[in-house]
Amino acid sequence: MGKLVEEFNGYREKMNDRIMETANTNIKRFFALDTTSYAEGALNVKTKEMLGLVASMVLRCDDCIKYHLGKCFEAGVNTDEMNEIFMIANLVGGSIVIPHYRRAVEYWDELNSSG
């Protein structure tokens, strides 16, 4: 796994563990809701992760973008599909999404080089 991916996943895991040490019931429920919302249902996991990625790009959350890129990779999204996801995100979000698009492509490339 590349440096960007390792650093992101390591930090996310470390801080999630730290948060759960003192999290109240509502925070724990929110984290659980986030996890269960992306489970297989009427929509498959791959579709939900692609939707999550577009939303994250439009909202311009780099951590969320990295997270959903990793999940899309795990779900079997290929580069042609990813380019269409990026197209939709830029179309909906406008030119302000372009800096996040650049970082997303860099992260996607790293995921693909290590997988």
Side-chain angles (χ1 to χ4, degrees), residues 4 57 60-63 65-66 69 86 96-110:
L4 286 174
M57 289 184 74
R60 302 183 308 275
C61 175
D62 284 330
D63 278 7
I65 292 167
K66 288 176 182 175
L69 283 166
F86 291 153
I96 198 164
V97 175
I98 291 172
H100 304 277
Y101 176 35
R102 289 182 191 116
R103 289 187 289 275
V105 168
E106 177 184 29
Y107 198 83
W108 182 251
D109 288 345
E110 187 166 298

Side-chain angles (χ1 to χ4, degrees), residues 6-7 9 11 13 15-16 19-20 36 39-41 49 57 59 69 72 74-76 80 91 96 99 103 106 109 111:
E6 286 180 7
E7 286 178 356
N9 288 335
Y11 179 77
E13 183 177 337
M15 292 312 299
N16 281 349
I19 288 167
M20 287 302 145
T36 58
E40 196 79 21
E49 290 301 340
M57 289 184 74
L59 293 169
L69 283 166
C72 283
E74 290 172 12
D80 289 338
L91 178 67
I96 198 164
R103 289 187 289 275
E106 177 184 29
D109 288 345
L111 283 166

Side-chain angles (χ1 to χ4, degrees), residues 39-98:
E40 196 79 21
L43 295 174
N44 63 37
V45 171
K46 182 177 176 180
T47 300
K48 289 180 178 186
E49 290 301 340
M50 292 187 293
L51 290 168
L53 177 56
V54 168
S56 297
M57 289 184 74
V58 170
L59 293 169
R60 302 183 308 275
C61 175
D62 284 330
D63 278 7
C64 300
I65 292 167
K66 288 176 182 175
Y67 175 78
H68 288 292
L69 283 166
K71 290 297 188 178
C72 283
F73 182 78
E74 290 172 12
V77 172
N78 65 45
T79 298
D80 289 338
E81 291 169 319
M82 187 55 63
N83 284 328
E84 291 192 16
I85 294 165
F86 291 153
M87 179 199 66
I88 297 299
N90 279 280
L91 178 67
V92 173
S95 63
I96 198 164
V97 175
I98 291 172

